Amino acid sequence: MAQSRRQQQADARREQLLDVALDLFATQGFDATSTQQIAKAAGVAQGLVFHYFGSKEGLLSAVLSTRHSFASGMADMLTEAETSPMPLGDVLRALCTGWLGTLHRERSVTLLLAGLALTNPTFGTQLNEAIAATQKMLANVLERRRDAGEVSEDADLGIAAHDILTPVIMYFLLHHASPHWKTEAAQFIDNHCTLWQRALAP
């Protein structure tokens, strides 16, 4: 029983370090954050960080492997969209609203990944690949809508998918800290999706 209690305490401390590290990496950047800062913010000895994770890089890997990512959430939404009975405009609004909401809900991870992409070529490549896969899934959704007569035969679906999703990411990065986030985001999504609904119409 005592061993089990100690294990529970160790697991809780590890989770605390992951949460603290995620917040600091997201706000200060990975390179600018030291293990000493992480330990101090968590209220533990610095040696405990190395005990659990080996290094700051090991801590980063643990953060990225255990915390949610916006890409997986969007993949689920796109899978559902492929068979949705809703009109194209409503599908686009649901997708953009859902993804923007995921980006905001997972903002620490999103900001961390965005920061890493700017400073680390490996993470930049990984992020670009995740976004490209998401855009391909959206292009497939649009292809189904073309077959149903809702999308113009002349539309370049790859470019359309890119130009539908990229502004959503940029909007999040520029406005996620706004005190009027919900109202402003809803207006952005409505205008953005109305524009694309018209642009893609036959």
Side-chain angles (χ1 to χ4, degrees):
M1 182 67 70
Q3 179 63 35
S4 177
R5 191 177 301 115
R6 284 197 296 270
Q7 186 60 51
Q8 289 175 1
Q9 292 173 343
D11 290 344
R13 184 66 74 190
R14 189 178 187 278
E15 289 299 307
Q16 179 192 16
L17 284 168
L18 288 170
D19 288 338
V20 169
L22 173 56
D23 287 340
L24 290 176
F25 288 159
T27 56
Q28 299 181 173
F30 175 73
D31 292 333
T33 301
S34 68
T35 53
Q36 184 176 14
Q37 288 175 313
I38 294 168
K40 182 178 180 180
V44 302
Q46 185 178 2
L48 203 60
V49 176
F50 298 107
H51 171 72
Y52 285 129
F53 303 103
S55 64
K56 190 172 76 166
E57 288 73 18
L59 178 54
L60 173 63
S61 295
V63 166
L64 294 178
S65 64
T66 59
R67 295 309 185 253
H68 293 102
S69 169
F70 62 82
S72 60
M74 188 58 172
D76 291 341
M77 286 184 277
L78 283 162
T79 298
E80 293 180 7
E82 286 201 34
T83 56
S84 172
M86 295 190 300
L88 176 62
D90 291 341
V91 167
L92 292 179
R93 287 180 181 84
L95 286 172
C96 291
T97 298
W99 201 24
L100 192 56
T102 300
L103 293 173
H104 197 258
R105 186 173 60 255
E106 308 277 353
R107 56 188 173 275
S108 291
V109 175
T110 306
L111 292 172
L112 171 58
L113 288 171
L116 287 171
L118 295 175
T119 59
N120 186 304
T122 299
F123 282 107
T125 298
Q126 291 175 351
L127 183 61
N128 286 335
E129 288 175 350
I131 293 174
T134 303
Q135 291 170 352
K136 184 176 181 179
M137 290 184 71
L138 177 55
N140 290 338
V141 171
L142 296 177
E143 182 69 40
R144 285 178 175 266
R145 296 294 169 149
R146 171 182 280 168
D147 293 341
E150 290 185 272
V151 172
S152 170
E153 292 290 337
D154 298 329
D156 187 317
L157 302 185
I159 292 177
H162 174 277
D163 290 351
I164 289 169
L165 295 180
T166 300
V168 176
I169 300 174
M170 295 305 300
Y171 184 88
F172 164 78
L173 293 174
L174 293 172
H175 301 285
H176 69 273
S178 170
H180 308 293
W181 166 264
K182 287 186 177 181
T183 302
E184 294 172 348
Q187 184 175 5
F188 161 73
I189 291 297
D190 186 59
N191 292 338
H192 180 58
C193 293
T194 297
L195 174 66
W196 273 103
Q197 182 181 5
R198 292 172 180 168
L200 291 170

